Amino acid sequence: MCRSYTYLEDDGKGGLKPAGKLTEELIVRPTSETIIGASFSKWVNSYRDLPLLINQWANVVRWEMRTRLFLRTTEFLWQEGHTAHASKEEAIEEANRMLNVYTDFAENYLAIPVVKGEKTESEKFPGAVTTYTFEAMMQDKKALQAGTSHFLGLNFAKASNIKFQNKDGKEEYAWTTSWGVTTRLIGALIMAHSDDDGLVLPPRIAPSHIALVPIYRNDEEHDRVMTFINEFTSKLKRIRYNEEKIRFQIDNRDMRGGEKLWDWIKKGVPLRLEIGPRDIDNNSVFMGRRDKEARDKISMDVDDFLNDLTNILDEIQQNIFDKAFSFRKENTIEIDNKDDFYKFFTPKNKNNPEIHGGFAKSHWCGSSECEEKIKDDLKVTIRCIPSDETEENGKCIYCGKKSKKRVIFAKAY
Ligand SMILES: [Zn+2]
């Protein structure tokens, strides 16, 4: 949802005035709900107009005191969807369907394992009946809310007068949903997979699957290598991976081979192929993979490589996911004792660097007070009530009252 904050200060007369001039002029429109709500109220008249789905890509401006690249920026690009339905069940189904579309993309394309669940009353989107969320663990063990989908009940329909005539000719309010993800997902991708050598890109979303680096010492070798590469890439072009053409780049820059290779490592390209006179003599390519050590390279017969390429890319995609999954697993623990819980989330102090802990799966009684106390003490919030968590009897980690389910506590961006 677009909540556009304006930076205001006391004007000394009991009112507010802009705190200063912006360095760059911004033209701001109101939050999307006002536009979508007003339009939906005109478009929806009969049950025949439902369901209605509108999706838009838009840039959003939010006032942020502290910005953080990709995660919290004053201006960002997002996709926002809005729907209206004749029945409650259909609207809930839609909100869940979109959550699944997002989590499928996060896990199967971005290779980021996520936890699906519902937000608590105090963490949900204002006006929503239910906010569904998916949360990912970054490499500093902090949680990142990667996207949300909201079941809005009749709240927004009542505010915007979105009514329809049902099959019996009676007027009813429509049930609405909204959902969105933003360029924050790029931040999630970078933070979930990068290592000391730079970016690591899962093959399914990598702009290039392969970087081809010709190795030569003189013009004669250059011509020979390029002839071989052209023949090789004509075969590459016929291969499809994940229903798309293989994407490759031939690095012809006037730089040393080693420098070029490091450049591609830093950019996270899944496969690097070095091709020089010796490789041509053996009808082979020298392959480096971004999911392995930079030095860990092997020579492969050209035909074997071409036959195996889609499997290799699938394997890299899986390895990147598995690494993130193991990391999350190692840093997710069940905690049933308040002292242990507080130790796990030790705030930064003189003797300790900040330890974010990880994900704590603990019992919670459902009260906002316990949630608030924990937030005040530790800056730890309930990221979600996981949808796949089975019910069990336990005691609230803060107050000790009865609880039926574990929730996920973590520090978050
Ligand atoms: Zn409690």
Side-chain angles (χ1 to χ4, degrees):
M1 298 296 95
C2 171
R3 279 167 287 171
S4 311
Y5 298 111
T6 2
Y7 190 32
L8 301 169
E9 62 183 20
D10 195 342
D11 68 357
K13 297 173 214 155
L16 294 167
K17 65 176 175 71
K21 255 195 167 177
L22 296 173
T23 45
E24 264 180 83
E25 241 181 274
L26 288 172
I27 295 167
V28 184
R29 65 155 173 81
T31 159
S32 299
E33 273 69 36
T34 52
I35 295 166
I36 301 287
S39 305
F40 272 27
S41 71
K42 284 179 206 151
W43 297 338
V44 175
N45 294 304
S46 149
Y47 69 91
R48 290 188 195 88
D49 300 326
L50 297 172
L52 177 63
L53 184 155
I54 293 292
N55 182 71
Q56 70 165 351
W57 290 85
N59 267 33
V60 182
V61 172
R62 280 182 188 168
W63 187 262
E64 298 284 2
M65 290 303 287
R66 265 176 219 91
T67 57
R68 197 185 275 267
L69 197 63
F70 287 114
L71 304 186
R72 204 172 285 285
T73 45
T74 306
E75 186 173 4
F76 59 88
L77 174 67
W78 81 352
Q79 151 284 320
E80 56 176 308
H82 301 263
T83 66
H85 305 263
S87 77
K88 181 183 176 181
E89 293 69 32
E90 203 182 283
I92 292 173
E93 192 188 323
E94 180 68 26
N96 277 293
R97 176 165 33 247
M98 284 317 299
L99 182 76
N100 289 330
V101 167
Y102 292 150
T103 56
D104 171 60
F105 178 69
E107 297 204 319
N108 297 320
Y109 288 80
L110 302 179
I112 303 171
V114 294
V115 184
K116 282 193 276 189
E118 287 179 21
K119 285 289 185 192
T120 63
E121 199 57 32
S122 59
E123 293 281 329
K124 74 183 187 186
F125 171 62
V129 173
T130 315
T131 289
Y132 302 98
T133 180
F134 59 108
E135 307 276 329
M137 184 186 284
M138 301 295 101
Q139 290 186 64
D140 62 358
K141 303 175 196 173
K142 270 181 160 179
L144 183 77
Q145 178 183 300
T148 47
S149 179
H150 315 287
F151 166 58
L152 304 171
L154 298 175
N155 297 340
F156 284 83
K158 283 180 178 168
S160 300
N161 212 28
I162 309 168
K163 283 181 182 169
F164 69 99
Q165 248 185 13
N166 67 18
K167 284 179 185 169
D168 305 321
K170 282 187 190 138
E171 218 168 45
E172 279 184 41
Y173 283 110
W175 301 84
T176 65
T177 77
S178 70
W179 22 271
V181 290
T182 76
T183 36
R184 170 175 267 219
L185 284 178
I186 299 172
L189 177 78
I190 296 166
M191 294 200 300
H193 304 313
S194 297
D195 58 21
D196 290 346
D197 291 337
L199 196 58
V200 176
L201 291 174
R204 281 186 165 196
I205 52 96
S208 298
H209 296 122
I210 308 171
L212 289 143
V213 179
I215 307 288
Y216 53 87
R217 278 166 304 185
N218 50 47
D219 288 352
E220 191 196 330
E221 279 186 4
H222 173 263
D223 292 348
R224 194 173 164 228
V225 168
M226 288 318 294
T227 307
F228 182 87
I229 286 183
N230 287 335
E231 202 178 308
F232 176 71
T233 53
S234 70
K235 287 175 191 161
L236 266 188
K237 284 176 188 163
R238 284 183 232 136
I239 300 173
R240 293 179 78 79
Y241 169 67
N242 193 38
E243 295 171 31
E244 283 179 47
K245 283 182 179 165
I246 291 291
R247 300 182 285 267
F248 61 86
Q249 289 204 41
I250 303 166
D251 190 347
N252 259 322
R253 290 176 294 173
D254 187 14
M255 282 163 64
R256 287 192 308 114
E259 243 176 279
K260 287 183 187 180
L261 290 164
W262 268 112
D263 202 41
W264 292 110
I265 290 172
K266 281 186 271 186
K267 284 180 178 162
V269 66
L271 287 174
R272 307 178 302 279
L273 292 185
E274 293 166 59
I275 299 175
R278 234 185 302 163
D279 304 295
I280 297 173
D281 292 342
N282 298 322
N283 192 40
S284 66
V285 288
F286 202 50
M287 177 182 75
R289 296 167 49 151
R290 193 58 182 90
D291 62 334
K292 300 203 167 173
E293 293 293 322
R295 286 164 190 275
D296 193 2
K297 296 189 272 194
I298 58 161
S299 181
M300 267 188 100
D301 176 79
V302 166
D303 296 320
D304 288 348
F305 174 81
L306 292 168
N307 287 332
D308 228 19
L309 177 56
T310 58
N311 292 332
I312 295 170
L313 291 172
D314 273 338
E315 205 179 279
I316 296 173
Q317 178 82 29
Q318 191 63 44
N319 285 347
I320 294 173
F321 178 87
D322 289 349
K323 193 179 170 197
F325 187 85
S326 308
F327 182 81
R328 190 186 74 187
K329 203 175 166 192
E330 280 161 27
N331 292 292
T332 301
I333 59 165
E334 293 190 351
I335 304 180
D336 294 317
N337 173 298
K338 193 172 170 181
D339 285 345
D340 293 344
F341 186 88
Y342 271 66
K343 265 180 214 152
F344 187 65
F345 290 114
T346 308
K348 191 175 181 171
N349 61 49
K350 251 192 278 171
N351 306 319
N352 279 317
E354 177 129 41
I355 302 161
H356 299 305
F359 286 2
K361 287 173 119 182
S362 297
H363 277 278
W364 170 60
C365 63
S367 93
S368 301
E369 283 99 79
C370 290
E371 201 183 355
E372 199 63 35
K373 289 262 167 54
I374 291 171
K375 193 177 174 181
D376 286 347
D377 288 349
L378 301 167
K379 293 197 181 84
V380 165
T381 49
I382 297 176
R383 302 317 306 155
C384 72
I385 305 161
S387 43
D388 62 355
E389 194 69 23
T390 45
E391 291 203 349
E392 59 169 44
N393 289 321
K395 284 176 183 166
C396 175
I397 195 74
Y398 192 82
C399 70
K401 282 186 193 149
K402 272 185 191 169
S403 153
K404 284 222 175 296
K405 209 174 175 183
R406 288 178 189 274
V407 297
I408 292 183
F409 286 94
K411 290 192 178 177
Y413 279 100

